[in-house]
Amino acid sequence: MEKVVWDDRFKIGVEMVDRAHAKLFRIVSKLLDISQDASTNQAAYIEGIKYLEAYSMTHFSEEEAYMRSIRYKGYAEHKRIHDNFRNKTLISLKKDLEASGYSMTAVQRFVGTMNRWLSEHIMLEDQAIVGKAVRQKKKDRSSQIEVITRTVNRAVQDVLQAETKLVSDDYKGQNIGNGYYCCQYYDMGGGVILQLLLGVEDTLFLRGIEKIPGIRKREMTKRDTLKVFEQLFEKMGRIFKVETEPEFGLENLLSKDGFRKEFMKGCPCSLLFGTRSGAFVFCYRSWREKR
């Protein structure tokens, strides 16, 4: 996982805010270091994350007070972003940690999300406070994400016997540990092709197949893996009202590097879900074929 280092490009020119941001970067960096040390015990993770959470909340309050003091016009939206992170993203991340028993993979996922959120928030939202960046209104995808979340939860419950919780609605390719990956393509008509990408952490995948008749974990083949994904994709396709089932074969299975290569082509919707048994990734993109 790449470490984001504090430097002058993150400064907004307000000493109190810059000092707090620099400290947040140091805390995240320290957490990243301990998350990559196999000898670290659970207590160290828990205390480090508690400290990061407490300091973040203190900083949000101080930054909001500063925005009010200068009558910043974007205050309401900026506070909404803080509240959303505090009340949704952070809670989901903590549930993911607790459900996994603070596994190394879950801690790294937590730190990776914090790392990305912090750097992006400073470069866009915080720089806008002092006029160094122009806030761009993001398209509201809440209704779409709600539909996808319900579908994913039903599919994972039916196929893998686990209940999901949305951890991040802006997954950036963070490592979910050892896993199984697959993609599927749908012809949506008019030359439009839809690609769905799924990633399932191995602990979740292997737990789920124990419930599927005819598949033995110790003797599992690639075709067995494909059967599981075929059931998942059959349910996922309903989100996009896919009427015809496309061909599905071993070439649809991806390695971790193959998944990342496809993901890096750009996905307008990329969601990370947590379960008590492991993580689940759902992404999609579409394009129009050239005639």
Side-chain angles (χ1 to χ4, degrees):
M1 185 187 304
E2 184 179 356
K3 184 184 294 186
V4 180
V5 180
W6 170 261
D7 57 37
D8 287 348
R9 68 195 162 109
F10 292 110
K11 289 184 177 180
I12 73 169
V14 178
E15 184 179 357
M16 173 193 70
V17 175
D18 289 337
R19 187 169 58 247
H21 286 165
K23 184 168 182 176
L24 281 169
F25 271 74
R26 290 195 298 272
I27 298 171
V28 171
S29 178
K30 179 65 176 177
L31 268 173
L32 179 58
D33 288 340
I34 68 172
S35 75
Q36 294 175 333
D37 184 352
S39 65
T40 303
N41 60 40
Q42 187 185 89
Y45 292 149
I46 294 173
E47 289 307 308
I49 289 167
K50 279 184 178 178
Y51 183 63
L52 174 60
E53 179 185 4
Y55 191 80
S56 298
M57 297 308 102
T58 298
H59 166 61
F60 283 177
S61 296
E62 292 175 346
E63 187 175 85
E64 288 164 12
Y66 173 75
M67 287 189 286
R68 290 194 299 271
S69 74
I70 64 170
R71 300 182 183 277
Y72 174 51
K73 291 182 179 179
Y75 170 78
E77 175 62 15
H78 198 124
K79 186 177 187 305
R80 187 193 67 78
I81 293 170
H82 282 175
D83 290 344
N84 185 67
F85 182 81
R86 178 191 297 115
N87 300 328
K88 293 182 179 180
T89 303
L90 196 56
I91 288 174
S92 293
L93 286 169
K94 288 165 64 179
K95 285 181 178 178
D96 182 40
L97 285 167
E98 292 164 2
S100 74
Y102 285 80
S103 68
M104 182 181 291
T105 299
V107 171
Q108 290 178 349
R109 193 154 55 234
F110 175 93
V111 176
T113 300
M114 287 293 298
N115 204 7
R116 173 187 55 76
W117 189 91
L118 180 61
S119 57
E120 289 184 357
H121 183 73
I122 291 173
M123 292 303 289
L124 180 59
E125 305 298 340
D126 290 341
Q127 294 283 357
I129 297 173
V130 293
K132 291 185 178 181
V134 178
R135 276 195 62 257
Q136 300 205 356
K137 196 169 184 179
K138 295 182 179 179
K139 183 178 179 182
D140 184 4
R141 298 186 295 120
S142 56
S143 59
Q144 178 195 42
I145 291 172
E146 185 178 343
V147 171
I148 292 174
T149 298
R150 287 200 303 267
T151 303
V152 167
N153 193 42
R154 284 198 299 268
V156 174
Q157 282 183 329
D158 292 347
V159 180
L160 300 175
Q161 307 298 306
E163 184 175 349
T164 64
K165 294 290 183 182
L166 182 63
V167 173
S168 172
D169 62 4
D170 192 19
Y171 171 74
K172 292 291 188 182
Q174 305 96 306
N175 180 22
I176 64 169
N178 294 324
Y180 295 84
Y181 304 90
C182 197
C183 69
Q184 180 59 297
Y185 300 89
Y186 302 89
D187 185 347
M188 304 302 289
V192 176
I193 303 299
L194 170 73
Q195 180 191 41
L196 297 189
L197 290 165
L198 300 183
V200 187
E201 193 169 354
D202 59 356
T203 48
L204 171 60
F205 194 93
L206 296 175
R207 175 187 180 278
I209 64 171
E210 292 177 347
K211 311 292 183 180
I212 301 176
I215 298 180
R216 296 182 180 180
K217 185 163 61 175
R218 293 182 180 178
E219 302 172 4
M220 189 175 66
T221 65
K222 285 187 176 181
R223 293 204 173 275
D224 291 331
T225 302
L226 202 64
K227 288 179 185 177
V228 178
F229 276 113
E230 191 168 18
Q231 293 182 51
L232 289 170
F233 278 116
E234 189 275 327
K235 297 175 184 297
M236 301 297 176
R238 297 172 186 172
I239 298 172
F240 303 93
K241 299 181 180 179
V242 174
E243 296 180 357
T244 58
E245 288 299 320
E247 294 183 3
F248 195 58
L250 292 176
E251 66 277 6
N252 292 77
L253 295 177
L254 300 172
S255 63
K256 183 187 295 186
D257 289 340
F259 174 85
R260 183 164 181 78
K261 182 179 178 180
E262 290 299 312
F263 175 81
M264 293 305 290
K265 292 178 181 178
C267 296
C269 183
S270 49
L271 309 179
L272 174 65
F273 296 87
T275 76
R276 289 186 177 278
S277 303
F280 185 93
V281 175
F282 173 96
C283 310
Y284 82 79
R285 68 187 184 100
S286 63
W287 65 91
R288 188 178 298 276
E289 287 191 320
K290 294 181 180 179
R291 297 291 185 178

